[in-house]
Amino acid sequence: MLYPKMNSARTVLDLSGIWNFRLDNGKGFEESWMNRPFEEWETMAVPASYNDQKVGTAFRDHYGWVFYQKTFQVPSLLRSQRILLHFGSVTHYAKVYLNGELIAEHKGGFLPFEREIQDLVKEGDNLLCVAVDNKVDFSTLPVGNESAQAMFGSEIPDFDSVRKTKLAPQNYPNFDFFNYAGIHRPVKIYTTPGEYIQDIILVTDVQGEEGRVSYEISCYGQGTPKIEIVDEEGQTVAEGSGEKGTLAIKKVKLWQPGKAYLYTAKVTFKEDRYEETFGVRTVEVKGDQFLINGRPFYFKGCGKHEDSENHGRGLDEVLNVKDISLMKWLGANSFRTSHYPYSEEMLDLCDREGIVVIDETPAVGLNFPNILQDWYKELSRTKEHHEEVIRDLISRDKNHPCVVMWSIANEPDTAARAQSAYDYFMPLYHLAHACDPQDRPVTLVVCNNDYTKDLVAPAMDVICMNRYYGWYIFGGNLDAARQAMEYEMDYWKSKNKPVIITEYGADTVAGLHGATPNMFTEEYQVDYYETMNKILDSCPFVRGEHVWNFADFATIQGVMRVDGNKKGLLTRDRRPKLAAHYFRNRWKNIPNFNYKKK
Ligand code: BDP
């Protein structure tokens, strides 16, 4: 699916703005709210989460369906075109109605979907209604618990006053970020000619000074597509025609981390045209090295979230630009789209800014060792959806030069049910490889568990691990944390694979100081990172450090979280804590390439 772009053959109309909105009171479907304009409504901005746009727990903690409505007209001069309705993402389940008719359904809150509507739109007003469900359970990604008991397990005390309390249905996410919901990314109407370009696949390689671009163009209709490669100065550097081929770019300028260079593939097919930007670069894992353009790369950066005040998880391009600027200020060169696919707008920005991305599926929360005997076997519903999101993610992001690796999951249980985990994840690992025309490395991010039992982590192309010695394990005792981390690193050094620490961190309340560095103080966060970084520096096979987290972020309420997760180097409103200055100093002195001599 090509991202909607406007050019001389295609028009894009954006339906962003204020929509009419209703929380379902249990009667939305029964009373067919989708069939006619709401009689009563609230205003709601799109794109954004609905949770924090209004005051009160009714919105913040709503469980189940909500309904959005918007009326639009299609300009008559577009009526001869193929017309599509495109959603960047709706979290987590969407039913789309046009003039009362159900025209699309989509499961999964972080990837786009669209539907042709030229035969469905009428003259004058068209009523668009989107019903959105935020429920998470064992069949969704991310995974939710189906009951409070499942979530809190033995922590719920078993005595009358507790047992007899009726809990209203609510979401029990099995993940540590607020379950924001709504229409999170733009809704667009766009047109193409009747015969059109369906997809473009670009794979690049480098031979000496020459870049090679293999292309594959799929079209609807009879005819021959043409392709022209244009450089940043607007010069045509290569041309070809046909559905498949390989073009050469002489004296190619590479896409480099921190130094992006983008070419544009201008594709034409009959009346249709599409411009796809791309970079020429290679990615490869060799022994324990991660090579970009043949040189050993060192990942400096963070795990993140799409998360901010008022917008929740909704697309916020101002914030995206600011975040990349702050990453550069920190001296970072990369991040992981923890724990779900980020917007295409963010990936476009990273392409332009030269920021390296590890692109993750929404498979987080596959971890209930205490609840089900062998839950991998019971999760067939998740597996099917898991395959679908891997396919759709790679299909969406395949041409982005910023994406250098796929992460198929975050912190599943890979130790307690080691063999089942292996049987569940290896087919997904192979699927990711098979789906990617560029065949990038594939990983899965593992948690702080009994690593000696883990069969999955060592089977990945890159071993990615989240480690919390000094926080969840040996919290407050950095000497013990150091010993545990050193001991564990000794285990990984023999695997001859790159290791990236994809998360490590300590909750830190901005402004809380202590000459004695106790947990939660800004000083403890710095001491913690200094302790861990000394170890990472001493391990040649450690090829990257991603702190947890770039910024503080919202989570479910609970005794573990004081107004959200506070492991950010920055506060939620992007003010630096002490540790941000510490990393700025460190990362400015770590080069992107050849950091670890070997
Ligand atoms: C890791 C998770 C991440 C959490 C983090 C934490 O991958 O989502 O936010 O721990 O507890 O286990 O801060």
Side-chain angles (χ1 to χ4, degrees), residues 176 339 410-411 466 468 472 503 548 553 561 565 567:
D176 182 37
H339 297 309
N410 178 72
E411 293 200 345
N466 300 344
Y468 286 99
Y472 295 117
E503 283 183 28
W548 190 255
F553 58 92
R561 296 286 176 254
N565 188 308
K567 295 194 185 68

Side-chain angles (χ1 to χ4, degrees), residues 9 28 105 229 298 305 415 504 565 567 577:
E105 281 193 68
I229 309 287
Y298 191 78
H305 269 295
Y504 61 133
N565 188 308
K567 295 194 185 68
K577 300 180 192 169

